[in-house]
Amino acid sequence: MLPADVPLRHLGPSVLLLLQLLLPSASAFFPNIWSLLAAPGSITHQDLTEEAALNVTLHLFLEQPPPGRPPLRLEDFLGRTLLADDLFAAYFGPGSPSRRFRAALGEVSRANAAQDFLPTSKNDPDLHFDAERLGQGRTRLVEALRETVAAAKALDYTLARQRLGAALHALQDFYSHSNWVELGRQQPHPHLLWPRQELRSLAQAGDPTCSDCEELSCPGNLLGFTLLTSGYFGTRPSKPPGKCSHGGHFDQSSSQPPRGGINKDSTSPGFSPHHMLHLQAAKLALLASIQAFNLLRSRLGDRGFSRLLDITPASSLSFVLDTTGSMGEEINAAKIQARHIVEQRRGTPMEPTQYVLVPFHDPGFGPVFTTSDPDSFWQQLNEMHALGGGDEPEMCLSALELALLHTPPLSDIFVFTDASPKDAFLTNRVESLTQERRCRVTFLVTEDPSRAQGRARREVLSPLRFEPYEAVALASGGEVIFTEDQYIQDVAAIVGDSIADLVTLPLEPRVVVAERPLVFRVDGLLQKVTVRIHGEVSSFWIRNPAGVSQGQEEGEGPLGHTHRFGRFWMVRVNDPPQSGTWEIQVTAKGTPRVRVQAQTSLDFLFHFGIPMEDGPHPGLYPLTQPVAGLQTQLLVEVTGLGSRGGPGGPLPHFSHVVLRGVPQGAELGQVPLEPRGPPERGLLAASLPPTLLSTSGPFSLELVGQDGVGRGLHRVAPQPCAVVPVLLELSGPRGFLAPGTTAPLSLRIASFSGPQDLHLRTSAKPSFALTSNLSRVHLEQNESAWGRLWLEVPDTAASDSVVMVTVTAKNGEASTMPPTHAFLRLLVQAPAPQDQLPAPAYSTDPVLNTSRPAFHFFTSVTQGGAGGGLVGNPWWTTFGVMLLLLGLGPW
């Protein structure tokens, strides 16, 4: 709730933040980094969002000294560009990975930018403070912030970041789309985040606000008045006589008298008639964004705020456990590993941020248990025992899908089972969900697929019955490890290894070939290299760049320590590993599996996008996967550049990306990477070749470059990618899902690569009734179709529960193209009892305001990240200026 507003001047000093506020003569409010191609030197929504978050994170670190480490000093950051890697290294220790933090900021930034692209938001004046709808815009802004708090308190941080991005977009647009700057204001609007205070001095319907301007640049077109106004854009709603337009080439209203406009979105007069005031608007938008982040921190507390932005180097721990009668050893192994992780990491920066546990058997699965308390997790896990069942198959993929719904992005999920899946029909959907969530799935299977005896079976089962696990593991970047009961506790030790920040090193060739060694490269930024081999191995050897070899003998060797657990071998290479080319030679029956992993903070995040260059807000429309027929960009964000050895040291850099088919590794092409912004920010872009976008199989991304002294670097994306045949956009209703109601959803399907005959399937988790007016659709090239869905929320739906709606579009049976999935996350909230309902916008009691709206989520918007402050523009980098912000705000 937002309590009574107190003017800023009446609040005592409470926040000391480092800002860099010497602005250049020009800057912008376009959506994201891609927008700079249309207006060089501009400051974007992405820039403002990330810079504000970094400033508030620095202040959090200054107020909360790290345990066991010296406190941070503000003077150490004065005059420097704020970088996530530097903040994490200073607070958590050198080499501490900022990857998840940057991914969380990327989710917020991309949700922010998407407001300019998504069909349900881009033309809504209430979401952009357009068309003098200032009161309505403030209402929607406050709603989005309340929704952010509600989702975070329900532990659904994906939804919270989505709504936070929408809120920040509207907040930042206010300073570019209204005349607040032109009125000479030097501080953010004192009442915009305080809904109890009325917005006063607003221009009324009959008040003329602009004079005619026939030039691109319109510095004097606002009439001499002191009322607050904003420009009209397009034709909905139409511009009344005498009113201002938004302005720019693509604003239809700006050609109607009075011509011109007042937006300050960019450096370009062709887009922004008031471009000369953009720097002032950017300054105020940044200050307002910092205010909003601080308000969230005050409402959520430091722990909740840190979870919202994933301000930690640690990941979560997620188990999916088969609890049938034959699983006693496996459950004990999971307990031992969980207990080891809890005890080893408690109180350290690497303590898991969230614990997730999902049991399954047949015919049931769940419920899911989630907590941030390690003792509660251990107690829940310790109460699990192998009971009943005992036959095969089981509901494994259903349980995994439930775990993916509740596991944070960029996490590892471990599945313990000795049975094949009964629900193999979910394979494609779970594959797609692992990629949407960027989660890696490892299956620990105590069942030999070739073994004839074991569990009881209802029927004769195929030796290929474990292929769904192989498919999900491949799609997620994980693996399937077959072992035996007596070794499961030792093999399960990989759980503790895997929740560290690991990268998988690319092998050449990708699979074992008889009498040909596998080659991998080790660079000076890697440590704790581990080689894992499993299969019917008769012998193997490993050779380092100096020619020193080690065989399969257990124990200490010249290169490291070798462990064997049945058919599973693990070699832990001594630190520091020698840089250069290493070789592995394996002799085995069948096809053994080899995996090499290492710890490093130098890694990368990536997402795809469609350049939107012909509209009023040019930028990059983000996607989870490339879409066939669309010009597609690859955006890369390199993390851990601070691991180069200290400030001032030469930066590693990546020059190109190699695309390879999966799983065989055949090279599909090489694409140069172009820097976007200064090197220390680590942002790179590449245009994907049309030939790649016509392929139907999965492909991997391998970044190639050099470290600071010219030695080779290779990093491979943890998950493969795939080109999907159509674009799906799925959106939900405004407001919350209330028990006992029906929620309307909207669906858009677009084809850009030729005729498509699509079959559509819909589902909801939990199994709420879901109906649709589309089951089949035919699309020609560059054609779209719209559909409606209706989700029935039962009276028994639990408050704070998450619902996931899935739409699957699949071509005819003969098509080799993979299906396309759209996922929509919604939150159920029971309305407050009638006698406890707060006033919608004016209640002053933060405790009573319990109304929590729900959310809509477009799966075309993906996570990605933020490297640092607005370095590329002089006003962000020349000086560090301390600014005193007064008050933490209203809610």
Side-chain angles (χ1 to χ4, degrees), residues 228-242:
L228 192 61
T229 185
S230 66
Y232 283 74
F233 181 84
T235 59
R236 290 184 293 179
S238 58
K239 182 177 72 172

Side-chain angles (χ1 to χ4, degrees), residues 425-753:
F425 63 91
L426 293 175
T427 302
N428 287 136
R429 193 163 84 195
V430 172
E431 288 179 68
S432 186
L433 188 56
T434 63
Q435 295 178 334
E436 192 266 332
R437 302 292 290 166
R438 307 277 173 152
C439 286
R440 182 168 52 192
V441 182
T442 298
F443 294 87
L444 299 169
V445 184
T446 47
E447 164 76 309
D448 186 335
S450 64
R451 193 167 62 195
Q453 299 179 353
R455 283 183 179 229
R457 296 178 172 85
R458 301 182 190 90
E459 58 190 38
V460 176
L461 298 174
S462 166
L464 303 178
R465 63 191 181 277
F466 293 102
E467 282 196 349
Y469 297 164
E470 302 281 3
V472 171
L474 179 66
S476 70
E479 57 185 322
V480 180
I481 299 174
F482 292 100
T483 186
E484 293 82 36
D485 282 348
Q486 64 265 38
Y487 300 119
I488 184 60
Q489 292 188 13
D490 296 307
V491 173
I494 68 167
V495 174
D497 295 336
S498 294
I499 67 169
D501 218 56
L502 295 179
V503 295
T504 299
L505 306 186
L507 297 170
E508 178 61 37
R510 290 297 192 264
V511 296
V512 174
V513 177
E515 299 183 1
R516 179 180 173 185
L518 300 172
V519 173
F520 65 95
R521 295 170 181 84
V522 172
D523 59 68
L525 302 177
L526 299 174
Q527 59 181 342
K528 296 186 182 338
V529 175
T530 302
V531 178
R532 300 208 297 261
I533 305 169
H534 53 288
E536 300 293 336
V537 177
S538 56
S539 66
F540 70 85
W541 52 257
I542 302 174
R543 180 182 296 140
N544 73 1
V548 179
S549 297
Q550 177 172 320
Q552 74 272 18
E553 294 79 13
E554 289 192 79
E556 283 294 337
L559 301 180
H561 193 96
T562 300
H563 303 268
R564 180 185 180 184
F565 311 114
R567 296 173 294 148
F568 183 82
W569 305 76
M570 182 184 299
V571 181
R572 299 183 186 274
V573 177
N574 296 329
D575 272 336
Q578 186 177 27
S579 298
T581 300
W582 290 59
E583 294 182 340
I584 307 171
Q585 178 76 61
V586 181
T587 303
K589 180 181 178 181
T591 304
R593 304 162 193 243
V594 180
R595 192 176 184 91
V596 182
Q597 292 183 305
Q599 288 189 22
T600 182
S601 58
L602 184 70
D603 201 356
F604 68 97
L605 300 161
F606 71 93
H607 70 281
F608 300 98
I610 308 165
M612 308 289 285
E613 300 172 337
D614 57 350
H617 299 101
L620 196 74
Y621 179 55
L623 302 170
T624 54
Q625 301 285 8
V627 177
L630 283 178
Q631 177 190 354
T632 303
Q633 294 290 316
L634 169 68
L635 263 290
V636 170
E637 183 175 5
V638 181
T639 66
L641 287 173
S643 61
R644 61 191 183 272
L651 283 171
H653 71 277
F654 291 99
S655 58
H656 63 280
V657 58
V658 179
L659 302 111
R660 297 183 183 276
V662 172
Q664 297 302 318
E667 184 174 319
L668 303 176
Q670 298 187 15
V671 184
L673 289 166
E674 299 293 336
R676 292 285 180 261
E680 59 265 35
R681 199 170 179 187
L683 297 178
L684 307 167
S687 296
L688 297 183
T691 52
L692 172 69
L693 299 180
S694 63
T695 184
S696 60
F699 61 92
S700 67
L701 303 173
E702 181 182 336
L703 266 59
V704 179
Q706 294 181 333
D707 65 13
V709 293
R711 295 174 298 196
L713 284 176
H714 292 256
R715 292 291 184 272
V716 64
Q719 295 176 319
C721 312
V723 179
V724 295
V726 293
L727 176 67
L728 289 184
E729 293 173 334
L730 180 60
S731 62
R734 176 187 171 192
F736 55 81
L737 294 184
T741 62
T742 298
L745 315 176
S746 64
L747 173 69
R748 177 185 174 232
I749 315 163
S751 172
F752 304 94
S753 60

Side-chain angles (χ1 to χ4, degrees), residues 286-314:
L286 174 63
L287 297 181
S289 300
I290 290 173
Q291 283 184 345
F293 275 114
N294 274 308
L295 295 178
L296 290 171
R297 184 184 169 197
S298 70
R299 287 295 285 127
L300 297 174
D302 287 348
R303 184 179 179 88
F305 182 76
S306 295
R307 290 288 306 280
L308 174 64
L309 295 185
D310 235 344
I311 307 176
T312 173

Side-chain angles (χ1 to χ4, degrees), residues 140 245 278 310 329 338 417 421 433 468 633 700 809:
R140 298 290 288 274
S245 289
H278 173 71
D310 235 344
E329 289 293 333
T417 186
L433 188 56
Q633 294 290 316
S700 67

Side-chain angles (χ1 to χ4, degrees), residues 179 182-184 201 203 207-212 218-229 242 244 262 274:
N179 66 329
E182 287 85 344
L183 291 174
S201 300
D207 296 329
T209 55
C210 267
S211 62
D212 191 57
C218 300
N221 62 334
L222 275 164
L223 299 178
F225 62 93
T226 60
L227 301 177
L228 192 61
T229 185
C244 298
I262 63 171
H274 280 201

Side-chain angles (χ1 to χ4, degrees), residues 708-865:
V709 293
R711 295 174 298 196
L713 284 176
H714 292 256
R715 292 291 184 272
V716 64
Q719 295 176 319
C721 312
V723 179
V724 295
V726 293
L727 176 67
L728 289 184
E729 293 173 334
L730 180 60
S731 62
R734 176 187 171 192
F736 55 81
L737 294 184
T741 62
T742 298
L745 315 176
S746 64
L747 173 69
R748 177 185 174 232
I749 315 163
S751 172
F752 304 94
S753 60
Q756 305 275 356
D757 283 300
L758 300 169
H759 299 262
L760 303 178
R761 297 195 307 272
T762 61
S763 65
K765 293 287 185 181
S767 298
F768 295 173
L770 182 65
T771 56
S772 172
N773 66 353
L774 278 182
S775 60
R776 296 187 63 178
V777 63
H778 175 83
L779 296 175
E780 295 294 332
Q781 186 170 355
N782 297 324
E783 191 173 44
S784 297
W786 291 83
R788 299 283 286 177
L789 295 83
W790 293 269
L791 177 69
E792 296 181 26
V793 185
D795 295 332
T796 56
S799 188
D800 284 346
S801 61
V802 178
V803 181
M804 184 175 70
V805 177
T806 304
V807 175
T808 302
K810 183 171 176 53
N811 274 285
E813 298 297 329
S815 173
T816 59
M817 292 293 287
T820 305
H821 301 274
F823 302 99
L824 172 68
R825 298 167 67 89
L826 300 160
L827 187 69
V828 176
Q829 277 289 319
Q834 192 64 36
D835 59 352
Q836 296 183 22
L837 283 174
Y842 303 107
S843 174
T844 63
D845 188 341
V847 177
L848 289 183
N849 191 352
T850 57
S851 177
R852 297 176 179 176
F855 318 94
H856 61 274
F857 174 62
F858 295 87
T859 58
S860 56
V861 180
T862 65
Q863 77 258 18

